[in-house]
Amino acid sequence: MNAYQLLKKDLLIELRSRETVISMLSLAVMISVLAALGIQNSFLEPKAVMRVFPVLLWIGFIFAGTVSITRSLHYEYEFRGIDGVLTSGVSPGTIYISKMIVNTIVSLIMFTMLLIFLSGLLGVDLSGLLGNMMFVGLLCSIGYSALSTLCSAMAIHARLKEILLPLILIPLLFPLFFGGHELTAQLLSNTFEMGSPWVTLLIILDLIYVVIGFNLFEFAARG
Amino acid sequence: MTSHTSRWNIIDWALWLSTTLCIPYSLYYVFAVVPNERVMGPIQRIFYYHVGSAMACYVAFALVFFAGIFYLATKEKKYDHLSAAAGEVGFVFCTIVLISGMIWGHTAWNTWFRFEPRLVSFLLLWLIFLSFSLLRTFGEQGKVATHSAILGILGAVTVPLMIYSIKLLPAAAQLHPQVVENRGLKDPLFYQALFISTTALVLLQFLLIRIRYRIETLSNDTVG
């Protein structure tokens, strides 16, 4: 089995079961409705809504993602599929990259839906910003998936597996959260630049987390 | 139980002796020798223990990082025990930094906490230590050592990036005094007190790590 076949297998599993993407999207819709109801009942000025929008967006992203992200690895462990893949000669690093790519795609879809729902319900105008918003979403999704894929391999068999993943993952996500939040705020206030140090920081974070995940996944998976 | 863990060696005695000498001396120096700071008065004396604890916390974090790397490379239990000990002691010192900072901040700024870069970075460091302790307590049996080594490495890589990311926030958010960087300590006695208290606290931290390491090793030998 080569890397391409492995990625195809992971994508097919996700496409057929749709477990991760459906649970993430449903959570994204629920979070959007809850956030919008809270904001509407606070009678905030439109300018104030624009200022809280990035916080709501990224908290929603982290919450919906962290609750659902373990599904992609759960399949492998539940049916001992990972043992079969490892004995077929595929390196653990390749398994990690394959899982990470699938998680990035799913996270990006979830980010897009959250963005559309939240902006629609809160009346935030994103016309002309969608391309750059997706770029920021992609940068954060890569870093997020790189970290969460590694951490979910560590939490999947723990006694408190459902709660342990957010507990170990969220403190590590702060630089990504700051980056995503600041760039979204810059986009909404029309001060965004491609050369912003926040963009550089997110790219560096993505690279570091992917390299660490690629090298340490073997230890996380095998123990 | 093995004999090498049940007996104190020369390092233990040296640490014990130097710490028991340094701690009272730093208390004497900070409270009896150093004059009151002109603007803030006696509350400024908390600075010597606040900065000292922060240094001890950084040392503990570095130990967690290197112990994690060595454990993954060699799979020797002693590095896991060191990582567990440094993680717990680092968590205690990080808590001391936060509490002493809040007491100082309440007097200086009339608020217990402000979302200011250095305060936030220590709060996040505290959260990473907390998640490290939670993973060690509730992690997967048999794999905790490897998993906590990975989390230690991830945490150590994240902290500098986090500090850098916080520094990118608007300048208006910066409130914490840059005392040492801006040469804000006018009297040489202030520097001497800072050096003595930092040395005392770092020594205390090494002693606590050493004791915790021995407990971890002994309990592991007993279970094993």
Side-chain angles (χ1 to χ4, degrees):
Chain A
M1 189 180 263
N2 60 31
Y4 169 72
Q5 286 170 322
L6 192 65
L7 179 61
K8 195 175 152 189
K9 173 193 78 79
D10 286 336
L11 279 170
L12 271 175
I13 289 174
E14 187 48 48
L15 277 173
R16 283 179 187 159
S17 72
R18 292 185 288 275
E19 278 184 1
T20 315
V21 80
I22 288 175
S23 55
M24 267 190 187
L25 290 183
S26 311
L27 271 171
V29 173
M30 288 172 197
I31 291 165
S32 305
V33 172
L34 275 177
L37 275 173
I39 295 288
Q40 293 301 324
N41 290 336
S42 306
F43 302 105
L44 292 180
E45 295 286 321
K47 273 190 178 175
V49 174
M50 289 278 266
R51 282 205 292 272
V52 295
F53 180 78
V55 183
L56 296 174
L57 177 71
W58 288 105
I59 287 180
F61 176 84
I62 290 175
F63 179 71
T66 308
V67 170
S68 330
I69 206 87
T70 41
R71 288 308 309 167
S72 65
L73 271 177
H74 201 262
Y75 255 103
E76 299 288 4
Y77 281 92
E78 201 172 44
F79 304 114
R80 306 302 304 162
I82 198 155
D83 293 338
V85 177
L86 284 169
T87 47
S88 73
V90 178
S91 74
T94 313
I95 299 174
Y96 169 79
I97 293 292
S98 169
K99 297 284 175 206
M100 195 215 82
I101 291 173
V102 175
N103 284 339
T104 304
I105 294 168
V106 174
S107 303
L108 195 60
I109 295 170
M110 188 264 289
F111 173 79
T112 314
M113 296 311 289
L114 196 60
L115 192 66
I116 292 168
F117 273 107
L118 206 53
S119 60
L121 289 169
L122 292 175
V124 175
D125 184 18
L126 293 178
S127 52
L129 303 175
L130 217 52
N132 283 333
M133 280 282 188
M134 291 308 294
F135 173 67
V136 174
L138 177 67
L139 287 181
C140 289
S141 294
I142 294 172
Y144 175 77
S145 305
L147 268 179
S148 58
T149 308
L150 181 63
C151 288
S152 53
M154 286 154 52
I156 205 149
H157 278 162
R159 269 183 289 160
L160 300 177
K161 56 187 165 193
E162 287 86 5
I163 189 69
L164 192 63
L165 177 65
L167 289 174
I168 60 175
L169 182 61
I170 290 175
L172 301 171
L173 288 175
F174 280 101
L176 278 171
F177 177 80
F178 279 133
H181 172 271
E182 285 299 311
L183 286 174
T184 313
Q186 285 178 10
L187 277 164
L188 291 174
S189 59
N190 288 320
T191 54
F192 174 79
E193 286 173 12
M194 224 21 132
S196 160
W198 289 105
V199 174
T200 316
L201 176 73
L202 285 183
I203 293 170
I204 292 170
L205 282 170
D206 289 352
L207 285 173
I208 290 175
Y209 289 145
V210 171
V211 170
I212 290 179
F214 181 80
N215 287 295
L216 298 187
F217 186 75
E218 181 178 4
F219 297 106
R222 287 183 171 148
Chain B
M1 196 184 290
T2 50
S3 61
H4 72 277
T5 52
S6 56
R7 279 196 212 124
W8 274 43
N9 61 24
I10 185 82
I11 300 170
D12 296 316
W13 285 113
L15 261 176
W16 180 255
L17 195 67
S18 53
T19 310
T20 46
L21 286 174
C22 259
I23 292 284
Y25 185 60
S26 84
L27 286 167
Y28 161 75
Y29 212 88
V30 167
F31 289 102
V33 177
V34 178
N36 268 349
E37 201 268 339
R38 196 155 39 97
V39 181
M40 296 191 64
I43 189 70
Q44 188 266 346
R45 288 173 207 272
I46 207 167
F47 162 81
Y48 304 109
Y49 295 101
H50 178 68
V51 175
S53 303
M55 292 304 292
C57 186
Y58 282 134
V59 172
F61 208 65
L63 282 175
V64 170
F65 174 63
F66 287 112
I69 291 177
F70 285 123
Y71 179 76
L72 292 182
T74 62
K75 292 280 177 186
E76 281 186 40
K77 277 281 174 196
K78 62 180 179 184
Y79 295 118
D80 176 51
H81 299 160
L82 178 61
S83 165
E88 275 184 31
V89 175
F91 182 63
V92 171
F93 275 93
C94 205
T95 310
I96 293 171
V97 175
L98 281 177
I99 292 171
S100 59
M102 284 164 83
I103 295 168
W104 192 13
H106 188 253
T107 311
W109 307 325
N110 202 28
T111 177
W112 292 105
F113 195 85
R114 274 193 62 146
F115 281 87
E116 188 276 341
R118 250 195 237 191
L119 296 179
V120 175
S121 59
F122 251 93
L123 179 63
L124 299 185
L125 182 62
W126 185 81
L127 287 177
I128 290 177
F129 270 124
L130 177 66
S131 69
F132 183 82
S133 303
L134 289 169
L135 179 68
R136 288 207 71 92
T137 313
F138 300 114
E140 187 181 343
Q141 295 295 317
K143 291 185 179 176
V144 157
T146 309
H147 291 167
S148 57
I150 295 172
L151 189 62
I153 294 168
L154 277 175
V157 171
T158 303
V159 167
L161 292 163
M162 192 159 67
I163 292 169
Y164 174 71
S165 73
I166 291 167
K167 282 188 176 168
L168 289 177
L169 290 170
Q174 318 279 335
L175 188 69
H176 193 285
Q178 314 285 312
V179 180
V180 180
E181 293 90 327
N182 296 343
R183 298 184 177 279
L185 302 175
K186 302 294 180 196
D187 195 320
L189 285 173
F190 289 153
Y191 276 111
Q192 287 163 18
L194 179 63
F195 177 75
I196 293 165
S197 61
T198 303
T199 309
L201 285 167
V202 172
L203 281 171
L204 176 67
Q205 176 243 9
F206 275 122
L207 180 68
L208 291 174
I209 289 176
R210 182 76 186 154
I211 293 169
R212 184 67 189 82
Y213 172 85
R214 289 163 62 86
I215 293 169
E216 189 75 21
T217 311
L218 284 169
S219 62
N220 213 271
D221 285 351
T222 311
V223 172

